[in-house]
Amino acid sequence: MNETVLSIAGLTAGYGSGDILQGASLEVRRGDVVGVLGRNGVGKTTLMRTVMGLTPSSAGSITHNGADVTGLDAEERAVRGFGYVPQGRMVFPHMSVEDNLRIGALERGRNWRRLEDMYQRFPRLRERRRQRAGTLSGGEQEMLVIARALVGDPDILLLDEPSEGVQPNIVKDIGALINELNQTGITVLLVEQNVELMQAAARVGYVMEKGRITQALSEADMHDGERLRHVLSL
Ligand SMILES: Nc1ncnc2c1ncn2[C@@H]1O[C@H](COP(=O)(O)OP(=O)(O)OP(=O)(O)O)[C@@H](O)[C@H]1O
Ligand SMILES: [Mg+2]
C-alpha cells in the first residue's frame, strides 16, 4: 500500500453563517486518482477550497506528506505541492493564454521553464498563446487552468468538476489527460458529477452528503455505474 499524500480528518468549515463542511474525513494515497461524488450543494467545492487553504477551517486537520498543513495559507500549500483547478474555469479572460500561464509560474517561484513543458503537453495552448483566454472554447479554457496549475509542479492536483459545461468528446480528452498526468506521478483528488469521467479517471472514491464523507467506494464500486448514479441523488 502506498503512503498517504493527503489525509483529511474531521474537517469543518463554512462561510460565516454555519458550517458547510461538517467533519469530513478522507485519505488519498500516493499515485492514486481518488474521486469525490456528491450532488449539487453538498459541499464539494468547499472541501476543495478548504484543502487548498482558501476557506479557513474551524475544526479538523489536513495532513500533507505527513506534515500538518492546517495552519498554512494557500500560497504555502502551493509551494508544498498542492495544485488547484477551481470549478468554473477561472481564467483571466482579458489576458492572453501565455499571461495566464505566467501567473501560474509567478505563483511558484517564476518557473518560466515550465511554460515550455506546458506548450509541449498542450500544443493548442501554444498555437493560441497570444489569444485572449476568454475567447477560448470551454474545453480549451479547462486545459488552460489545468496547465496553469501544472506550472507549479504539484504532487497532488485538486480538480473541481473539470467536465462541467464541456462537450462530451472533450470530457473524454479530460479523462485521458488525468490518466496521463497520473502516469507522470501526480496524485489526483477529483470532484465530479459526470459518472463517465469519474469511471474513466478515478480508481477509488468517496461519497459526500451534507458536508460529510459518508461512504468509501472501492475499485469494484467504481465500475458500478448504476451505483455511482444513485450516489449522485443522495
Ligand atoms: N462563498 C460562499 N458564501 C456563502 N455560502 C456559500 C459560499 N460558497 C458556497 N456556499 C454554500 O455552501 C454550500 C455548499 O456549496 P459548495 O459550492 O461547496 O457545493 P458543491 O457540492 O460544490 O456544489 P456544486 O455541485 O453545485 O458545485 C451551498 O449551500 C452554498 O450555497
Ligand atoms: Mg462545486
Side-chain angles (χ1 to χ4, degrees):
M1 201 51 115
N2 289 345
E3 73 210 77
T4 302
V5 175
L6 177 69
S7 174
I8 298 166
L11 198 62
T12 300
Y15 302 97
S17 52
D19 292 330
I20 302 295
L21 274 191
Q22 302 187 1
S25 302
L26 61 78
E27 291 221 338
V28 179
R29 292 185 180 278
R30 181 166 311 288
D32 220 344
V33 179
V34 176
V36 176
L37 278 153
R39 74 171 192 203
N40 290 114
V42 297
K44 304 182 299 296
T45 295
T46 305
L47 172 69
M48 296 296 241
R49 288 182 54 86
T50 310
V51 170
M52 191 60 209
L54 296 165
T55 294
S57 56
S58 55
S61 66
I62 303 165
T63 308
H64 177 241
N65 294 335
D68 187 338
V69 298
T70 320
L72 302 184
D73 64 27
E75 221 177 295
E76 292 167 318
R77 289 185 210 195
V79 170
R80 288 191 57 98
F82 286 76
Y84 177 51
V85 179
Q87 186 173 7
R89 293 192 280 285
M90 301 293 184
V91 299
F92 297 96
H94 301 294
M95 292 169 55
S96 69
V97 165
E98 180 139 314
D99 284 346
N100 270 267
L101 289 177
R102 281 173 175 275
I103 283 175
L106 263 181
E107 284 168 348
R108 287 296 304 278
R110 298 169 190 270
N111 195 354
W112 307 123
R113 188 183 51 77
R114 292 283 296 166
L115 259 63
E116 182 53 35
D117 296 346
M118 289 309 119
Y119 286 142
Q120 272 182 23
R121 184 176 286 286
F122 303 100
R124 278 184 83 80
L125 295 183
R126 192 202 297 276
E127 281 166 29
R128 292 162 192 276
R129 63 207 279 180
R130 311 264 171 251
Q131 193 171 320
R132 289 197 323 173
T135 64
L136 297 175
S137 73
E140 288 164 352
Q141 288 188 27
E142 191 61 42
M143 295 299 167
L144 177 56
V145 281
I146 292 173
R148 191 174 64 203
L150 291 174
V151 165
D153 207 9
D155 79 336
I156 180 163
L157 193 59
L158 311 171
L159 281 173
D160 193 351
E161 301 217 35
S163 80
E164 197 181 40
V166 168
Q167 294 172 11
N169 61 323
I170 308 292
V171 172
K172 284 211 179 73
D173 292 348
I174 293 172
L177 173 63
I178 294 170
N179 286 320
E180 271 174 47
L181 295 176
N182 182 238
Q183 271 155 31
T184 70
I186 300 177
T187 304
V188 179
L189 183 62
L190 170 68
V191 162
E192 255 307 330
Q193 295 191 70
N194 181 309
V195 169
E196 285 68 37
L197 178 56
M198 197 48 104
Q199 291 186 307
R203 191 184 67 83
V204 291
Y206 289 98
V207 180
M208 188 160 189
E209 293 172 71
K210 295 186 190 142
R212 288 195 182 89
I213 299 295
T214 55
Q215 299 176 46
L217 297 168
S218 70
E219 246 178 299
D221 296 335
M222 297 302 277
H223 290 125
D224 183 349
E226 272 312 299
R227 172 154 183 194
L228 300 189
R229 269 179 280 277
H230 171 69
V231 155
L232 290 172
S233 68
L234 295 174

